[in-house]
Amino acid sequence: VLFRSISRVAQAFRPDLHLRAIQDLRVLKGIKLHDFDGAGTRLRVRCRQLSNGDGALLELEILGDDEALHYRARAELSRTAAHLDNAVSQPSLRAWGNATIYGDVLFHGREFQVIQTLEGVGETGIAGTLRGVNTTAWQAEPWHTDVAALDGGLQMLLLWAREFGGGATLPMGFGELRFAAAPLSDGPIRVIASCRKTSPSQAVADLTFVDRRGVQLSQLRNAQLVLRPDARA
């Protein structure tokens, strides 16, 4: 929901430009989605342009019914697509085995269970294969970003944190999500995440999303995980 809202509003605000990156996303107040399969929860996305020139820098905020501010981020748009660094850090992994994927720290419904396989997990990261929006049962629409794969990448970070981060965590923001010219894939998407603890209750991770040929689709840098209050000793 978050990736979809921000990317769609940014692209609609400046349809003449490419969405190159979402930057400095911060969770300011969590949102509880009531009646998800029914009437849903009404949110409002507020957007304003901070700078322009050859491209544009936008500030986006997501507000609830009570006008409470829940999320804030910036979007970078340009006339050309972003260049992604081809170097991918490969963490040292052990086999995942038969450990649980969904039903523990991942409480997602069937439509959001996009993790297909897990290659392995280790103290420095995790890797696996995901289904993207083009291979899910999500409503067909002109997707600009693969929100299913991005959500799946964050799900994998929660699994890493269960094993090496001290317990159940929550994603609280990231530094930058950068997109290639063609960020979607018709096949499975491989995710490689490099993770490290920064304190007893916090960790950060860098994720790279590639298609079956190894071509990079997007990069997520400095994703922040915080140990849930109910998981702290």
Side-chain angles (χ1 to χ4, degrees):
V1 175
L2 177 61
F3 290 127
R4 177 185 182 185
S5 300
I6 290 176
S7 61
R8 288 183 66 179
V9 169
Q11 199 67 70
F13 195 86
R14 289 297 305 266
D16 56 315
L17 300 175
H18 294 279
L19 177 62
R20 290 171 61 100
I22 297 172
Q23 302 167 337
D24 294 329
L25 185 141
R26 295 290 177 265
V27 179
L28 304 175
K29 183 181 181 182
I31 298 175
K32 291 184 178 180
L33 298 180
H34 302 288
D35 196 19
F36 181 79
D37 294 320
T41 299
R42 184 180 180 275
L43 302 173
R44 185 165 68 91
V45 182
R46 185 165 59 195
C47 180
R48 67 188 180 100
Q49 186 161 309
L50 300 177
S51 65
N52 57 16
D54 185 50
L57 183 66
L58 311 179
E59 181 184 73
L60 299 106
E61 297 175 329
I62 297 182
L63 301 94
D65 265 344
D66 58 356
E67 291 300 295
L69 182 58
H70 291 275
Y71 299 91
R72 177 183 286 127
R74 296 198 308 264
E76 177 192 347
L77 298 98
S78 177
R79 301 195 182 281
T80 59
H83 171 73
L84 301 185
D85 181 7
N86 287 325
V88 179
S89 176
Q90 298 287 343
S92 177
L93 307 177
R94 59 169 171 78
W96 180 259
N98 296 320
T100 301
I101 295 179
Y102 291 101
D104 185 2
V105 295
L106 299 185
F107 46 85
H108 302 68
R110 180 174 296 181
E111 290 184 0
F112 289 87
Q113 294 179 8
V114 296
I115 300 176
Q116 286 186 312
T117 62
L118 285 171
E119 299 172 21
V121 64
E123 189 171 351
T124 59
I126 189 170
T129 304
L130 309 171
R131 292 184 294 125
V133 289
N134 288 337
T135 55
T136 63
W138 291 18
Q139 181 179 352
E141 61 176 87
W143 298 101
H144 298 291
T145 59
D146 200 322
V147 294
L150 295 170
D151 189 77
L154 294 179
Q155 293 178 28
M156 287 173 52
L157 294 186
L158 301 187
L159 292 176
W160 173 85
R162 181 182 68 182
E163 302 293 315
F164 295 99
T169 59
L170 294 171
M172 296 300 293
F174 58 76
E176 183 176 61
L177 171 59
R178 207 156 190 81
F179 305 103
L184 303 177
S185 173
D186 289 330
I189 297 169
R190 183 169 182 250
V191 180
I192 307 98
S194 297
C195 313
R196 67 184 187 279
K197 291 191 68 172
T198 56
S199 77
S201 61
Q202 298 185 40
V204 296
D206 296 328
L207 298 87
T208 302
F209 299 79
V210 301
D211 66 14
R212 68 179 82 191
R213 298 169 298 166
V215 176
Q216 292 198 26
L217 305 171
S218 57
Q219 297 174 342
L220 181 60
R221 297 292 178 255
N222 290 321
Q224 300 167 5
L225 299 174
V226 176
L227 201 63
R228 282 182 0 200
D230 60 346
R232 298 178 186 179

